[in-house]
Amino acid sequence: MQAFWSSVSFRIALVYGALIVVTLAVISGIFYYGTVVGPANAMDQKLVVSEQRLSRHFLGNGLPALRSEVGQLLADGIDQDTEVYLLLDPAGHKLAGNLDRWPAPADLGFDTLTTEQVLRYGKPSLSRLVWHRLPDGAVLAVGNDTHYQQAVEKLVWRSLLIGGGTALLLAIAGALLFRRQIGRSIGRIRRTAMEIQAGDLSRRIPVGSTRDEFALLSHDINAMLDRIEHLMDGVRHVSNTIAHNLRTPLARIRSRLDEMLRQGTGAGTADAVHSAIQEIDSLTMIFEKLLQIAEAESGARRQSFEVTPLAAVVADVTELYDAMADTCDTRLVSEVRGGPHVLGDKDLLCEALANLVENSIKYAGRSSAISISAAEEDGRMVLTVEDRGPGIPADFLGRVTQRFYRGNTEVPGSGLGLSIVTAIAQLHRGSLQLQSLNPGLRARIVLPRPAGEAANPADSIL
Amino acid sequence: MQCLVIEDEAQTAAYVRKGLEEHGHRVTLCADGEAGLRLIRDRAWDIIVLDRMLPDDIDGLSLLKALRDGGGQTPVLVLSALGSLDERVRGLRSGGDDYLTKPFALAELLARIEALTRRYQPGAEVRELKVADLSMDLVKRKVTRAGRPVLLQPREFRLLEYLVRHQGQVVTRSMLLEAVWDIHFSPGTNVVDVQISRLRSKVDGGFTPSLLHTIRGVGFMLRDPA
């Protein structure tokens, strides 16, 4: 129910439906009043007037005169099929009138209008009657058979019901149609947004030839995306230009130094040249890593993602580093529980895991064990590297992923490793989580399940 | 070997030419795609070194595609300042056999060129590889030296196999990472050196002569010094 209520289109449809119901009620009320209530009241009025006139006739001319008056009214052919007259003597016997059966006068309320079942000209009739007790005890009744009114009332009710029912069904159908229409339009926008999020900046919202509000919104968003893509292209162009323009001079310097070496120089110069070459190489590496982080953050790599079993990532990285761990007298223990897999890039995932393992080997100290594992936890896929070395002090945990931050400057490193791991984790829509184990560090790369295994969010209920 | 170098940057071109000529190869330079295509059509080459960013209309990758579409099988090593994995994959998919980013060490270039040209020599399916008194049975996955068995883990066997297949050639760290471990990033630490050390202790430890050499600043080589 919560889901329904939070849906805008449902709320609009509900309000729209309520308005229809109210309008219908008002119209029906007016109509009913005009066709049923009004005429009934007018009829009542007429009866009272008629009764009063006959009473005055009695007062003026006596009971026999009234009797013959009643007889005349019944015989005059006016209102023959609806009029009701009844004159009773003080003892309750019928003196004149067209009723054959009537409610006992003792049960009657006088001078009030009631609707009774009576026998009129021998036939049953539901009649509207007013009873009056004349001064000498005689009873006069004036009334009207209501079968016309009943017929009209029945007709009105039936039409209101049918009309109302139809209107309600149309309202519901309209609301559902409205919801579907909105859902489709919004769904189109959301789907395109998801494709763009996944890394394909070239997508645009498909727009038909209509000029409605959604079409205008889509046009605006598409224009915005054009601008963004243009900017991204600019950035990419700059990156590529930087790559070309910075690497080329670096290449030239390196090649000159290389030449010097090969041409043969004194030992001292050779050493200097070697270290200069090393500096250039490490500069190049830093530069590569920065570009890589930028590329990861742009999300463009997502387009070439494939389903990657994490067991392979763990196995490859563990194998690569086992010799190095041996030299530090450290053991690498790997464990894979189940068959965790993600949608991603195997090379990048290996690189991220390798960075974590390298850090542990570098900082965890000798004679220890480093655990490398992959498993599914709470519906997410997790790569974990755990060591029992000195770890990272809790207040520094937030800073270690900053670029160039070095916690321990005695050990060689660029300070970019964890930045790369974070960028790669985020590219895979996951995150890097660091925990101090006191002693030690647990680094976890937490990644979502492959998208195909959950419902497509763009198609959920609006 | 006849090498065709298609590179528009004069300094890099000269650098490459010098390095290759010093190694006994014959080098022809050209500076744009059109001239390159003509030279490819007119003569047979053992190896083509191709820069991706070429001036005018024909860039490196389209030249490469034209070569492959025309049935040319000459090994091509692609040079580029564009180093992302994406670009690497593009270069290889367009028909390149290897991809090297600038800046590069000449030794790396030479090592990879030699590796590429070796690959193209026709030869029967080999089931045994030998260097000096080291022998590798590729079917049984067993190694012996001077008649004594050398126990290797599967990955170590692959590492040794690669070195033996490229015996006498320089093999760089990145070549090993790609070929033996299928790793396409550069680890920050000297993992490969450590792996080689461990292999060396098993293969050369207690035997003479030493077969596994480290070439400073470049890589490694397995060679019978005799």
Side-chain angles (χ1 to χ4, degrees), chain A residues 122-144:
Chain A
K123 293 207 266 292
S125 154
L126 192 65
S127 293
R128 189 84 171 142
L129 301 161
V130 60
W131 297 85
H132 183 72
R133 182 167 236 131
L134 297 166
D136 70 345
V139 173
L140 171 67
V142 176
N144 212 70

Side-chain angles (χ1 to χ4, degrees), chain B residues 97-142:
Chain B
D97 297 280
D98 203 351
Y99 194 97
L100 195 55
T101 46
K102 303 180 191 177
F104 55 85
L106 193 55
E108 179 93 40
L109 177 72
L110 286 169
R112 287 176 181 260
I113 285 179
E114 308 242 332
L116 281 182
T117 47
R118 262 287 181 103
R119 218 201 291 172
Y120 274 86
Q121 263 141 39
E125 267 302 314
V126 178
R127 62 164 285 160
E128 202 188 357
L129 294 171
K130 270 185 180 333
V131 177
D133 56 350
L134 174 76
S135 166
M136 293 183 78
D137 185 333
L138 296 177
V139 176
K140 293 213 193 99
R141 315 299 280 178
K142 284 205 194 316

Side-chain angles (χ1 to χ4, degrees), chain B:
Chain B
M1 268 204 303
Q2 296 279 11
C3 310
L4 174 62
V5 176
I6 310 178
E7 165 68 69
D8 65 320
E9 244 207 321
Q11 195 133 21
T12 312
Y15 177 59
V16 171
R17 170 197 235 150
K18 197 142 176 250
L20 287 171
E21 280 178 347
E22 273 170 18
H23 258 73
H25 303 306
R26 303 235 287 277
V27 179
T28 308
L29 285 182
C30 83
D32 66 83
E34 234 186 282
L37 275 173
R38 250 182 292 128
L39 283 165
I40 289 173
R41 270 198 303 269
D42 295 342
R43 260 197 275 169
W45 303 94
D46 294 306
I47 179 104
I48 299 174
V49 176
L50 172 65
D51 182 23
R52 262 187 83 165
M53 315 274 239
L54 293 174
D56 306 326
D57 302 317
I58 307 182
D59 81 309
L61 288 190
S62 29
L63 187 149
L64 189 45
K65 282 195 193 120
L67 168 67
R68 294 296 181 226
D69 287 343
Q73 300 207 338
T74 319
V76 175
L77 185 140
V78 180
L79 289 179
S80 177
L82 301 171
S84 71
L85 219 58
D86 240 2
E87 299 293 347
R88 217 195 112 85
V89 168
R90 266 173 93 202
L92 294 176
R93 284 229 184 99
S94 304
D97 297 280
D98 203 351
Y99 194 97
L100 195 55
T101 46
K102 303 180 191 177
F104 55 85
L106 193 55
E108 179 93 40
L109 177 72
L110 286 169
R112 287 176 181 260
I113 285 179
E114 308 242 332
L116 281 182
T117 47
R118 262 287 181 103
R119 218 201 291 172
Y120 274 86
Q121 263 141 39
E125 267 302 314
V126 178
R127 62 164 285 160
E128 202 188 357
L129 294 171
K130 270 185 180 333
V131 177
D133 56 350
L134 174 76
S135 166
M136 293 183 78
D137 185 333
L138 296 177
V139 176
K140 293 213 193 99
R141 315 299 280 178
K142 284 205 194 316
V143 178
T144 55
R145 188 150 183 205
R148 300 207 309 262
V150 175
L151 288 171
L152 296 179
Q153 293 170 18
R155 195 68 69 160
E156 288 174 318
F157 187 94
R158 281 178 60 173
L159 177 56
L160 183 61
E161 182 183 348
Y162 187 84
L163 289 162
V164 172
R165 279 186 189 274
H166 290 82
Q167 58 182 285
Q169 292 177 358
V170 174
V171 159
T172 62
R173 287 172 187 80
S174 51
M175 286 164 74
L176 287 173
L177 281 168
E178 286 164 28
V180 178
W181 284 280
D182 194 27
I183 296 260
H184 297 278
F185 61 88
S186 319
T189 49
N190 56 347
V191 255
V192 181
D193 294 64
V194 177
Q195 295 277 3
I196 291 276
S197 293
R198 192 168 68 175
L199 181 66
R200 182 182 282 133
S201 66
K202 292 190 182 179
V203 165
D204 281 343
F207 299 101
T208 51
S210 289
L211 298 175
L212 194 42
H213 309 278
T214 302
I215 316 292
R216 185 178 178 187
V218 184
F220 310 97
M221 186 193 297
L222 190 136
R223 185 170 67 93
D224 183 356

Side-chain angles (χ1 to χ4, degrees), chain A residues 240 243-244 247-248 250-252 254-256 258-259 262-263 271 274 284-285 288 295 301 316 319-324 326-327 346-347 350-351 354 358, chain B residues 9 11 15 18 22 53 81-86 101-107 153 155 177 181-191 194-195 198 216:
Chain A
N240 286 346
H244 195 64
R247 280 163 142 137
T248 311
L250 274 178
R252 280 204 289 266
R254 203 188 190 287
S255 69
R256 282 263 174 84
D258 223 10
E259 259 186 72
R262 286 178 307 110
Q263 277 166 9
D271 277 336
H274 265 299
T284 309
M285 175 120 65
E288 302 266 4
E295 197 198 16
R301 274 301 277 280
D316 282 357
E319 244 186 349
L320 183 60
Y321 285 91
D322 58 8
M324 178 170 253
D326 277 346
T327 61
K346 176 159 180 278
D347 290 325
C350 281
E351 180 164 4
E358 263 178 27
Chain B
E9 244 207 321
Q11 195 133 21
Y15 177 59
K18 197 142 176 250
E22 273 170 18
M53 315 274 239
L82 301 171
S84 71
L85 219 58
D86 240 2
T101 46
K102 303 180 191 177
F104 55 85
L106 193 55
Q153 293 170 18
R155 195 68 69 160
L177 281 168
W181 284 280
D182 194 27
I183 296 260
H184 297 278
F185 61 88
S186 319
T189 49
N190 56 347
V191 255
V194 177
Q195 295 277 3
R198 192 168 68 175
R216 185 178 178 187

Side-chain angles (χ1 to χ4, degrees), chain A residues 43 47 82-85 127-130 141-145:
Chain A
M43 177 53 57
L47 292 180
T82 55
E83 63 191 355
V84 172
Y85 291 104
S127 293
R128 189 84 171 142
L129 301 161
V130 60
V142 176
N144 212 70
D145 172 82

Side-chain angles (χ1 to χ4, degrees), chain A residues 57-133:
Chain A
H57 192 84
F58 167 80
L59 290 172
N61 307 357
L63 193 59
L66 178 60
R67 187 182 175 173
S68 73
E69 177 67 19
V70 169
Q72 232 178 317
L73 284 171
L74 285 171
D76 66 4
I78 302 174
D79 293 331
Q80 184 90 17
D81 51 350
T82 55
E83 63 191 355
V84 172
Y85 291 104
L86 186 69
L87 185 60
L88 303 175
D89 70 9
H93 300 120
K94 175 173 168 182
L95 293 176
N98 57 355
L99 289 186
D100 300 312
R101 199 174 320 144
W102 53 89
D107 300 333
L108 300 167
F110 289 106
D111 300 317
T112 55
L113 286 149
T114 54
T115 310
E116 314 280 350
Q117 192 69 26
V118 295
L119 218 58
R120 180 179 166 276
Y121 291 127
K123 293 207 266 292
S125 154
L126 192 65
S127 293
R128 189 84 171 142
L129 301 161
V130 60
W131 297 85
H132 183 72
R133 182 167 236 131

Side-chain angles (χ1 to χ4, degrees), chain A residues 265-305:
Chain A
T265 50
T269 321
D271 277 336
V273 171
H274 265 299
S275 67
I277 291 184
Q278 265 178 337
E279 293 274 350
I280 290 183
D281 284 344
S282 94
L283 242 185
T284 309
M285 175 120 65
I286 289 181
F287 177 55
E288 302 266 4
K289 293 194 176 182
L290 283 175
L291 273 183
Q292 195 183 29
I293 293 175
E295 197 198 16
E297 285 174 349
S298 81
R301 274 301 277 280
R302 285 200 193 112
Q303 289 180 273
S304 50
F305 274 5

